[in-house]
Amino acid sequence: MTFEWIPGQGINPDALARMKQHFHKPEKPPFEAWFMSGINYHTFFLEEGFEEDLKLVERCLDDYCIGIKCFGRFEEWVLWYQYLLPLLLPRFIENDDLFPTLINYFTNLYTKGVIRPDINLPEETQRKLARPDYEPGIFEEYPGFRDDILSTLPQVMMEGILWEDGDLSKSYRWYIDEWEGYWTCPLFSSLFFCLMYLTPEEISTWVASIASIDGELWRTLIKDWITGLKRFFEFVADPTSIQPEDIPEQDKRDWEPGREITLYNYLKLADIDWTGSWTVFNGLYTSRDLNDYIPAANIEAFWREVAKYPALRME
C-alpha cells in the first residue's frame, strides 16, 4: 500500500468497520496482569456499557500491556485488545494516555523477537514464526488486517482536530508549552510505530509526506525526533560513546554498574521516549536486539529518504 501522512486525513472509518466485523466481544473476561496466588478477572468488561469508564479501561489495558512482557501473550489479552481497538481508537480525544497505550499494546502483540514464540502463542502463529522466510511484523488476522491497521492506528496523528492552519494545533490539549515537551508523546510513539511496521517502499512515501507538511511546530518536532533518533542509533551501536555527563541526574541510578541497560534506556537518553514506552522495551520476554523492533532495511531506507529533503536536515 501507499502510506502517507496528510493533515485532515485521519482514521479510515471503513477500516474500523472491518475490524469490528472480524473481532467480536470475547465471552470470557480478561484476567488481571498482577496476582500473587490464583487468577482474578476483570469481570466488569462483560457488563453493558463498560467502555464508558474510559479511564478504568485505559488503566487496565496499560496493565495488560506490561503483563504481556512479563507473563506472555495470553489469548484473553489478545482478543480483548482486538475487540477494543476499533471501539476506543476514535475516542482518543477523551483520554490523553489512551492513544500511546494502544500503540504500546499493539507493539507488544505484533513484534517477532519481543515475545518469545514458544510462550502462549496459538499453534498457527508458532508455525508462522518458525518459518525461515517469516519477517517481523503484523500477523494477518484476516485478509487486509495489516492495511486496516496502517489506515487507522498511526493515522490518528492526522485527525483534523489536531491541526490548525496547516500546522499542529496549539489549542489542542496535547500542546502544553515549549518547556514541557509538547506533543512529543503521541508524535514520537507514532513515528517509532511507522519506522517499525512500514516496508522500505512505504517509508519512501511516508518520509516524502512528512517533508511536505509546512508547519513550524510540526517541523520543529520532526527535526527534534530525527536528531534524537540518530543519537539513539549511535548509543545502541556504541554504548561506550555515552559519557557520564550525558546522563541526566535523575536517570543516573539506571546506569549504575551491574544494572541491565535496555533499549528504553537509550531511547530515553536520546530524549525520544514517550508515555509508557518503557513497557515496550522492558520485561522478561523482551528482546534487547534493535533488529527485533526495526529491520535494518527500514533504517537504511529512512536515512536515504530523509537525505532527499532539505526541510528534514538536522541543523
Side-chain angles (χ1 to χ4, degrees):
M1 67 178 297
T2 298
F3 186 90
E4 297 177 298
W5 270 353
I6 301 174
Q9 296 185 21
I11 301 169
N12 185 321
D14 294 334
L16 286 181
R18 283 189 292 271
M19 283 191 228
K20 291 178 181 178
Q21 181 182 5
H22 284 89
F23 299 136
H24 304 123
K25 185 175 181 179
E27 295 181 358
K28 297 180 179 179
F31 49 81
E32 297 177 5
W34 310 104
F35 46 84
M36 295 300 292
S37 61
I39 295 179
N40 297 318
Y41 292 85
H42 283 138
T43 56
F44 77 90
F45 274 98
L46 298 182
E47 298 175 2
E48 190 72 25
F50 74 90
E51 67 276 3
E52 293 307 311
D53 192 345
L54 196 59
K55 185 175 182 180
L56 177 59
V57 172
E58 186 278 324
R59 187 164 66 246
C60 288
L61 290 180
D62 191 54
D63 282 347
Y64 306 155
C65 183
I66 302 169
I68 290 168
K69 305 308 285 292
C70 294
F71 306 115
R73 194 180 188 271
F74 289 101
E75 183 181 30
E76 288 88 342
W77 292 339
V78 177
L79 296 180
W80 276 99
Y81 177 82
Q82 292 170 342
Y83 168 70
L84 288 170
L85 179 60
L87 297 180
L88 298 182
L89 196 56
R91 300 179 60 190
F92 74 93
I93 59 175
E94 300 176 37
N95 182 298
D96 289 350
D97 293 332
L98 179 60
F99 175 58
T101 296
L102 293 175
I103 287 272
N104 297 337
Y105 205 127
F106 186 92
T107 300
N108 284 359
L109 289 184
Y110 292 98
T111 306
K112 179 184 176 183
V114 177
I115 301 298
R116 276 174 31 198
D118 60 330
I119 300 295
N120 298 311
L121 288 174
E123 290 185 7
E124 181 180 356
T125 300
Q126 291 187 41
R127 287 195 295 271
K128 288 180 181 179
L129 291 173
R131 283 168 29 197
D133 62 334
Y134 190 78
E135 296 295 330
I138 305 171
F139 312 145
E140 282 287 71
E141 303 286 1
Y142 59 82
F145 176 67
R146 179 181 184 275
D147 286 355
D148 285 347
I149 286 296
L150 294 182
S151 299
T152 54
L153 192 53
Q155 294 292 358
V156 166
M157 288 305 307
M158 296 297 111
E159 282 288 297
I161 192 174
L162 306 181
W163 293 82
E164 186 176 359
D165 298 326
D167 199 359
L168 289 172
S169 174
K170 293 185 179 181
S171 61
Y172 188 71
R173 66 176 180 229
W174 276 346
Y175 178 86
I176 304 174
D177 62 53
E178 61 182 320
W179 303 111
E180 294 191 36
Y182 48 10
W183 276 96
T184 56
C185 172
L187 181 58
F188 286 6
S189 60
S190 300
L191 287 161
F192 203 92
F193 181 95
C194 292
L195 196 57
M196 285 181 60
Y197 291 111
L198 297 182
T199 65
E201 294 75 21
E202 291 165 341
I203 285 176
S204 178
T205 56
W206 174 53
V207 172
S209 69
I210 289 174
S212 69
I213 300 174
D214 188 20
E216 182 181 356
L217 177 55
W218 170 262
R219 290 196 171 179
T220 297
L221 293 178
I222 289 295
K223 285 186 177 182
D224 286 348
W225 184 75
I226 291 175
T227 300
L229 186 68
K230 183 175 184 295
R231 284 164 49 85
F232 171 67
F233 289 147
E234 290 172 349
F235 293 156
V236 173
D238 182 17
T240 63
S241 66
I242 302 171
Q243 302 301 313
E245 58 268 23
D246 295 330
I247 304 173
E249 190 63 37
Q250 65 269 25
D251 298 326
K252 287 190 180 298
R253 186 171 180 273
D254 293 334
W255 293 83
E256 291 175 352
R259 296 183 69 91
E260 182 181 24
I261 304 301
T262 69
L263 292 174
Y264 172 72
N265 294 114
Y266 299 125
L267 194 76
K268 189 175 183 184
L269 188 60
D271 202 24
I272 54 171
D273 58 316
W274 61 88
T275 300
S277 54
W278 69 273
T279 66
V280 176
F281 302 99
N282 286 281
L284 178 63
Y285 302 131
T286 304
S287 173
R288 303 296 185 258
D289 187 346
L290 181 61
N291 291 321
D292 285 332
Y293 296 88
I294 307 176
N298 282 21
I299 297 174
E300 180 181 346
F302 179 78
W303 292 123
R304 182 177 63 247
E305 297 303 319
V306 164
K308 295 179 181 179
Y309 303 98
L312 301 181
R313 290 175 187 163
M314 294 175 287
E315 302 298 336

